[in-house]
Amino acid sequence: MNSDFYRLAVSSHFSSFPKSFSLRKKVPWWYQILNPRSKFVARWNRTFLYVCIAALFLDPLYFYFPITGDKACMQTDLVLGVFVTFSRTVADLFFLFHMVLKFRTAYVAPTSRVYGRKELVTDPRVIASRYLKSDFIIDLLATLPLPQIVVWFVIPAVKNSTVAHVNHTLSLIVLIQFIPRLFQIFPLQRRILKTSGLIAKTALAGALYNLGSYMLASHVLGATWYVASIQRQYECWIITCKQEMNNTHSPTCTPSFLDCATLDHRERQAWFKRTKVLSNCDALNNKNEFQFGLFADAFTDHVSSSRFVQKYFYCLWWGLKNLSSYGQNLQTSTYSGETLFSSFICIAGLILFAHLIGNMQNYLQSTTARIEEWRLRQKDTEEWMNHRQLPPELQQRVRRFVQYKWLATRGVDEEAILRALPLDLRRQIQRHLCLDIVRRVPFFGQMDDQLLDAICERLVSSLNTKDSYIVREGDPVREMLFIIRGQVESSTTDGGRTGFYNSITLRPGDFCGEELLTWALMPSSNLNLPSSTRTVKSISEVEAFALRAEDLKFVANQFKRLHSKKLQHAFRYYSHQWRAWGAHFIQAAWRRHRKRKLAMELLGKESLYYTNVMEIVEEEDVDDDEGDDGGGAGESSSGPSMGFQNLGATVLASKFAANTRKGKIKKVKINLPDSDSLKMPKMFKPTEPDFSTFHD
């Protein structure tokens, strides 16, 4: 009674909760700890790698902000500034989300790596403490939107700020923040390699990744060269402006005149009419004291005053050209900045070309490594055949087989790949590859899936070129072949008997080597393999699956269903050996029937003939008797003696007719036409195993 009351109380208590209530509290996603080997983390790391590369591409675009022209002033490209600021802000959001994920991603405890357990640390406080001590500072410097803050908030708030100040400050900040963003990629690549094993899934993708990295370096170098060229021209303007400050002409030069914001000022317009800034800072004039060095191309080709697209591609070409040639074509001045910049180009070109282009070459060579390996093997084969002085026909057959094997497998060792896989995975792959093909064989269509899986697991690939003898009559049978492609001729002479030949063409879905199955099904089969009763020769290039003798014996011993009468009858029906024996048996029976029928027809004709002869003889005897009766009474005394003589003659005539008939029959049996030519050699019945020890 108490138990029933307690059960009723509990049921009424839980019935008051809503249906969506669960005793296990669901943790929100922002409180969950991520597994570093999960699919989401692996996918995010790969996505963030591409974002980092895009961010490294965006930052050098700040160097294209300053623009110079024919007015000896500098201004900022506002359209480019808005685009780069928006793109950079989106990239910064990805960096911020990456920092948040690092606070919620578990890591493997260092002490658990010794024993191979690799236990994960899931405590949020421990994870946060470890992250703050390791990579937090670098990630924070890479995430802060410093260029946006400086361009749109700090510089406009500063009084008397010029474009030159903006250029200097922005270039310095971008260079400082570019370094942590660059070094952020290397640990990210290591994590991707640990989780997935590779960065690029294909050789072409790997080559494009390394080529893109090399192009990114050229892009950074070209943008740096452009902003350094603008800075070098601005220095020339400043030097000329300082020289004009000491002159007595009015108005005197001030640094504010070099900003395009003062173009409408009267003092600036009056100064521009008398100044020598354009002539003294002309890169085309070699008589000037100021040397532009390697930055002269930016002004001789009017790069600084061009549109952004033209300017960008010219700078990219300049960086790619000098990075690939290690700066050998650069003409520097005695200015120390140019010398250091040229040295940096030489060192960077050597390192990047050795690393990135070397990796790209390895990726591209990996696509042709199989071809080169096949060529070397083919060369070794040719040298061996020439050394052994093989006949030209054999050499041609060897070349044809090597060529066909390469076209069929592309140099891949399938057996080695399958052996390296786990048993369950190997079984599923073999089932996928072989099950449909094995089911095409009518004999195996009678088996269940478990037995077919055991057979598919032990099938190996077999290749044969045209006019190759797979097995000869009388040789031991070592494997059963299930034809996938091509045609095979199977012939037999029944052990070399004269006057006997049987041939059949095997096509995809057929099999040969059925003697091996009979041998495997025998309970007392010894180690001696059965002899082949047929000669199997390929008519064209043949691709097949082979089931070796030991594997077939193992399957026959493990699965007793192979010994069922249904499978035995199916085997006899689809076996070409049994079909040939059955056809020979039917032909011999038909010939015996035809010979017996012919003999009976001849016998019937002879019986009719001698019956007519006997009737004629009897009629003549009757006529003789009547003549004797009507001859006179004088001869009546001799009647009894003549009756006895006629009776003896009749008996002798019947015996003679009987003997003659027997002789005729013997003669017909002996002298039948085509009797010698129709006589066929006896074909032995195929060996049949003793299944008495097995019970279905």
Side-chain angles (χ1 to χ4, degrees):
M1 182 68 181
N2 294 332
S3 60
D4 296 338
F5 176 77
Y6 176 75
R7 189 181 302 109
L8 180 61
V10 171
S11 61
S12 61
H13 173 71
F14 281 103
S15 62
S16 61
F17 287 98
K19 294 182 179 180
S20 60
F21 175 77
S22 178
L23 294 177
R24 179 178 293 179
K25 186 178 180 180
K26 187 176 181 181
V27 180
W29 64 268
W30 55 85
Y31 288 133
Q32 294 179 1
I33 302 299
L34 301 176
N35 190 341
R37 294 186 176 274
S38 62
K39 292 183 179 180
F40 172 76
V41 175
R43 193 180 299 111
W44 168 254
N45 288 336
R46 193 175 295 275
T47 304
F48 186 67
L49 176 64
Y50 299 145
V51 172
C52 290
I53 296 175
L56 292 178
F57 173 81
L58 288 173
D59 286 349
L61 294 180
Y62 282 105
F63 294 161
Y64 294 99
F65 276 15
I67 303 174
T68 60
D70 298 334
K71 300 296 183 179
C73 65
M74 186 185 302
Q75 62 181 354
T76 303
D77 191 350
L78 294 179
V79 177
L80 180 62
V82 173
F83 171 75
V84 175
T85 300
F86 175 77
S87 303
R88 173 66 189 266
T89 304
V90 174
D92 291 342
L93 294 177
F94 279 90
F95 279 86
L96 180 62
F97 185 70
H98 183 68
M99 290 183 63
V100 174
L101 285 183
K102 278 194 172 183
F103 279 106
R104 310 305 301 177
T105 304
Y107 68 94
V108 179
T111 56
S112 64
R113 296 177 181 176
V114 180
Y115 302 101
R117 294 176 298 174
K118 294 185 179 181
E119 297 179 355
L120 294 178
V121 177
T122 58
D123 189 358
R125 295 183 180 180
V126 178
I127 295 173
S129 176
R130 178 177 177 272
Y131 178 55
L132 290 174
K133 295 178 182 179
S134 57
D135 300 332
F136 177 75
I137 300 299
I138 297 177
D139 293 345
L140 182 62
L141 292 177
T143 306
L144 290 177
L146 296 180
Q148 299 95 303
I149 295 175
V150 170
V151 171
W152 301 102
F153 296 100
V154 177
I155 293 179
V158 177
K159 296 181 179 180
N160 299 327
S161 62
T162 60
V163 178
H165 295 158
V166 175
N167 185 25
H168 297 163
T169 306
L170 190 60
S171 300
L172 181 62
I173 291 176
V174 169
L175 286 176
I176 292 175
Q177 199 172 25
F178 189 83
I179 295 175
R181 291 202 169 192
L182 179 62
F183 281 96
Q184 199 175 22
I185 293 180
F186 301 112
L188 186 61
Q189 288 181 346
R190 288 196 296 269
R191 285 196 295 269
I192 294 175
L193 290 175
K194 285 183 179 180
T195 54
S196 61
L198 44 84
I199 296 178
K201 296 182 179 180
T202 61
L204 181 60
L208 292 177
Y209 176 77
N210 286 274
L211 181 61
S213 302
Y214 193 79
M215 295 297 295
L216 178 62
S218 303
H219 161 67
V220 174
L221 183 63
T224 306
W225 171 77
Y226 174 78
V227 72
S229 302
I230 299 298
Q231 180 63 26
R232 188 63 175 162
Q233 189 180 42
Y234 186 79
E235 289 181 3
C236 180
W237 290 347
I238 290 294
I239 292 173
T240 305
C241 185
K242 288 181 179 180
Q243 292 176 356
E244 292 180 354
M245 284 182 184
N246 299 326
N247 295 334
T248 56
H249 69 274
S250 179
T252 183
C253 180
T254 59
S256 61
F257 290 167
L258 302 179
D259 193 344
C260 291
T262 61
L263 286 177
D264 297 334
H265 295 181
R266 295 180 180 179
E267 295 83 0
R268 206 272 179 188
Q269 295 176 356
W271 167 81
F272 185 72
K273 293 179 180 179
R274 298 182 179 89
T275 184
K276 297 181 179 180
V277 170
L278 296 179
S279 59
N280 293 339
C281 297
D282 188 5
L284 297 175
N285 190 2
N286 296 326
K287 297 180 180 180
N288 293 334
E289 297 180 357
F290 191 86
Q291 298 179 0
F292 286 93
L294 59 90
F295 305 112
D297 294 339
F299 310 106
T300 57
D301 296 334
H302 304 286
V303 178
S304 59
S305 59
S306 301
R307 293 185 300 175
F308 170 73
V309 177
Q310 300 174 350
K311 183 191 309 181
Y312 170 76
F313 283 108
Y314 184 92
C315 295
L316 179 63
W317 168 81
W318 189 94
L320 184 61
K321 178 187 71 172
N322 291 280
L323 199 62
S324 302
S325 62
Y326 313 130
Q328 295 179 0
N329 299 325
L330 294 177
Q331 297 178 358
T332 61
S333 63
T334 57
Y335 179 58
S336 58
E338 292 184 23
T339 307
L340 293 176
F341 187 65
S342 301
S343 302
F344 172 77
I345 291 176
C346 293
I347 296 173
L350 286 171
I351 295 175
L352 292 176
F353 193 85
H355 181 67
L356 297 180
I357 302 300
N359 289 342
M360 185 180 68
Q361 185 178 4
N362 292 334
Y363 276 111
L364 294 178
Q365 286 180 351
S366 64
T367 58
T368 60
R370 299 284 184 186
I371 300 178
E372 294 299 328
E373 183 180 355
W374 173 70
R375 287 177 180 174
L376 291 176
R377 189 181 299 116
Q378 192 177 22
K379 182 180 178 181
D380 295 340
T381 306
E382 292 288 342
E383 293 179 356
W384 174 78
M385 290 190 298
N386 294 331
H387 176 69
R388 294 299 180 183
Q389 297 181 357
L390 296 182
E393 296 180 358
L394 288 179
Q395 292 186 11
Q396 187 63 27
R397 290 183 61 185
V398 171
R399 294 190 191 100
R400 191 163 61 241
F401 174 76
V402 173
Q403 178 73 17
Y404 178 65
K405 186 176 181 180
W406 164 255
L407 294 177
T409 63
R410 292 295 176 180
V412 178
D413 190 359
E414 297 181 358
E415 295 185 12
I417 295 176
L418 290 175
R419 283 196 301 268
L421 297 176
L423 179 61
D424 181 64
L425 185 58
R426 182 168 65 245
R427 184 180 297 144
Q428 293 182 5
I429 293 175
Q430 288 288 94
R431 178 185 176 89
H432 172 72
L433 294 177
C434 309
L435 185 60
D436 293 339
I437 298 172
V438 171
R439 279 180 174 171
R440 293 178 190 173
V441 180
F443 171 64
F444 289 110
Q446 308 291 334
M447 300 180 182
D448 56 1
D449 292 340
Q450 186 178 4
L451 188 55
L452 290 178
D453 289 342
I455 294 175
C456 292
E457 185 180 352
R458 289 161 177 82
L459 289 178
V460 294
S461 179
S462 177
L463 302 174
N464 295 277
T465 56
K466 184 180 179 181
D467 298 332
S468 297
Y469 284 93
I470 300 175
V471 64
R472 297 178 185 269
E473 188 173 356
D475 293 345
V477 182
R478 303 182 183 277
E479 59 187 13
M480 287 186 66
L481 284 182
F482 305 96
I483 302 173
I484 304 173
R485 299 181 185 89
Q487 295 181 355
V488 171
E489 180 186 7
S490 177
S491 60
T492 180
T493 59
D494 194 21
R497 295 177 181 269
T498 58
F500 182 86
Y501 181 78
N502 176 262
S503 177
I504 192 173
T505 301
L506 305 181
R507 293 177 174 83
D510 295 332
F511 63 95
C512 60
E514 57 268 21
E515 301 90 350
L516 201 61
L517 184 58
T518 304
W519 168 82
L521 292 176
M522 289 183 178
S524 58
S525 60
N526 51 17
L527 298 178
N528 296 328
L529 296 175
S531 298
S532 177
T533 60
R534 308 184 71 86
T535 298
V536 182
K537 181 182 178 181
S538 58
I539 303 176
S540 62
E541 281 74 14
V542 176
E543 184 176 355
F545 281 118
L547 186 61
R548 297 189 179 98
E550 56 273 12
D551 296 331
L552 185 58
K553 185 66 177 177
F554 174 79
V555 173
N557 292 335
Q558 293 295 324
F559 297 92
K560 301 302 181 182
R561 289 185 296 276
L562 272 176
H563 303 277
S564 65
K565 293 297 181 182
K566 183 179 179 181
L567 290 180
Q568 294 166 24
H569 292 312
F571 169 71
R572 294 171 187 170
Y573 179 77
Y574 293 109
S575 173
H576 297 289
Q577 181 187 4
W578 279 83
R579 285 187 176 186
W581 176 83
H584 180 270
F585 185 84
I586 294 173
Q587 290 174 1
W590 172 253
R591 287 186 173 91
R592 288 195 302 270
H593 170 70
R594 291 288 300 172
K595 187 166 63 173
R596 189 181 299 109
K597 184 178 180 181
L598 181 59
M600 294 301 295
E601 289 178 355
L602 293 176
L603 180 60
K605 291 180 180 179
E606 292 177 355
S607 300
L608 180 61
Y609 172 75
Y610 287 109
T611 301
N612 294 332
V613 171
M614 291 300 295
E615 290 178 355
I616 294 172
V617 172
E618 290 177 356
E619 289 177 358
E620 290 178 353
D621 292 341
V622 171
D623 292 338
D624 291 341
D625 292 341
E626 292 177 355
D628 292 339
D629 293 339
E635 296 180 358
S636 61
S637 59
S638 61
S641 61
M642 291 299 294
F644 284 112
Q645 291 179 359
N646 292 335
L647 180 60
T650 302
V651 172
L652 291 175
S654 62
K655 288 183 178 180
F656 175 76
N659 293 333
T660 305
R661 186 167 60 251
K662 291 180 181 178
K664 281 289 184 179
I665 294 173
K666 291 181 180 179
K667 186 176 180 180
V668 170
K669 290 183 179 178
I670 296 173
N671 297 324
L672 279 174
D674 300 333
S675 61
D676 294 335
S677 61
L678 293 176
K679 186 177 181 181
M680 295 295 293
K682 183 180 180 181
M683 184 180 183
F684 294 102
K685 182 179 178 181
T687 56
E688 185 175 3
D690 182 15
F691 302 102
S692 59
T693 58
F694 299 98
H695 301 281
D696 297 337

